[in-house]
């Protein structure tokens, strides 16, 4: 992977990080609405939930692309075993997170 591709990948992952922060802010906003003594405002909750789900889909797509790119790239083929295995473990961890995101999205669609 050349320097340009590494920078682009890093930028995409930084965008994912910002989206995750926004997702947490939205979830917090919905929780605040539910704890509102006068009751939650339906339009605000719907808006937050819609934005939440769109961001989750965007995060999922970006992570899938990064995993695919990382799997195609073999930086440790001529290096030691430990580094290569460590890289593969990291990829498996990200795949696990994606599976959980898929499950959350499926549960949301089944609930609506």
């Amino acid at each position: 992977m050349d320097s340009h591709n590494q920078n682009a990948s890093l930028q995409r992952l930084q965008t994912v990080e910002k989206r995750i922060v926004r997702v947490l802010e939205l979830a917090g906003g919905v929780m605040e609405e539910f704890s509102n003594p006068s009751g939650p405002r339906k339009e605000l909750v719907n808006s937050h939930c819609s934005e939440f789900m769109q961001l989750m889909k965007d995060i999922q797509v970006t992570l899938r692309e990064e995993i695919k790119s990382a799997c195609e790239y073999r930086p440790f083929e001529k290096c030691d075993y430990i580094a290569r295995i460590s890289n593969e473990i990291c990829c498996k961890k990200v795949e696990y997170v994606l599976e959980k995101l898929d499950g959350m999205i499926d549960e949301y669609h089944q609930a609506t």
Side-chain angles (χ1 to χ4, degrees):
M1 185 180 290
D2 63 16
S3 177
H4 173 68
N5 286 343
Q6 286 177 335
N7 287 337
S9 179
L10 182 59
Q11 287 175 344
R12 284 189 296 273
L13 292 175
Q14 288 171 338
T15 300
V16 165
E17 181 180 16
K18 290 175 187 174
R19 287 178 179 160
I20 290 171
V21 170
R22 179 65 183 144
V23 160
L24 294 173
E25 290 171 349
L26 290 168
V30 168
M31 295 304 293
E32 285 178 14
E33 275 301 308
F34 283 132
S35 67
N36 189 345
S38 62
R41 293 173 286 185
K42 184 178 179 180
E43 65 282 347
L44 184 66
V45 171
N46 283 341
S47 171
H48 279 17
C49 288
S50 293
E51 186 179 350
F52 177 92
M53 291 310 298
Q54 184 58 52
L55 286 169
M56 292 300 286
K57 287 179 184 178
D58 294 345
I59 290 167
Q60 181 184 29
V61 167
T62 303
L63 289 177
R64 282 190 188 285
E65 290 170 355
E66 289 303 310
I67 289 171
K68 183 179 177 186
S69 175
C71 290
E72 291 171 354
Y73 176 58
R74 301 282 183 206
F76 304 112
E77 282 189 14
K78 296 182 181 180
C79 294
D80 64 321
Y81 177 78
I82 300 292
R84 184 171 44 87
I85 292 301
S86 178
N87 184 47
E88 290 178 20
I89 290 171
C90 288
C91 285
K92 291 294 182 187
K93 287 178 180 179
V94 174
E95 287 174 358
Y96 176 77
V97 169
L98 280 175
E99 288 175 15
K100 293 298 180 184
L101 289 174
D102 285 341
M104 286 176 62
I105 290 171
D106 290 343
E107 286 177 23
Y108 174 78
H109 287 300
Q110 290 173 358
T112 56

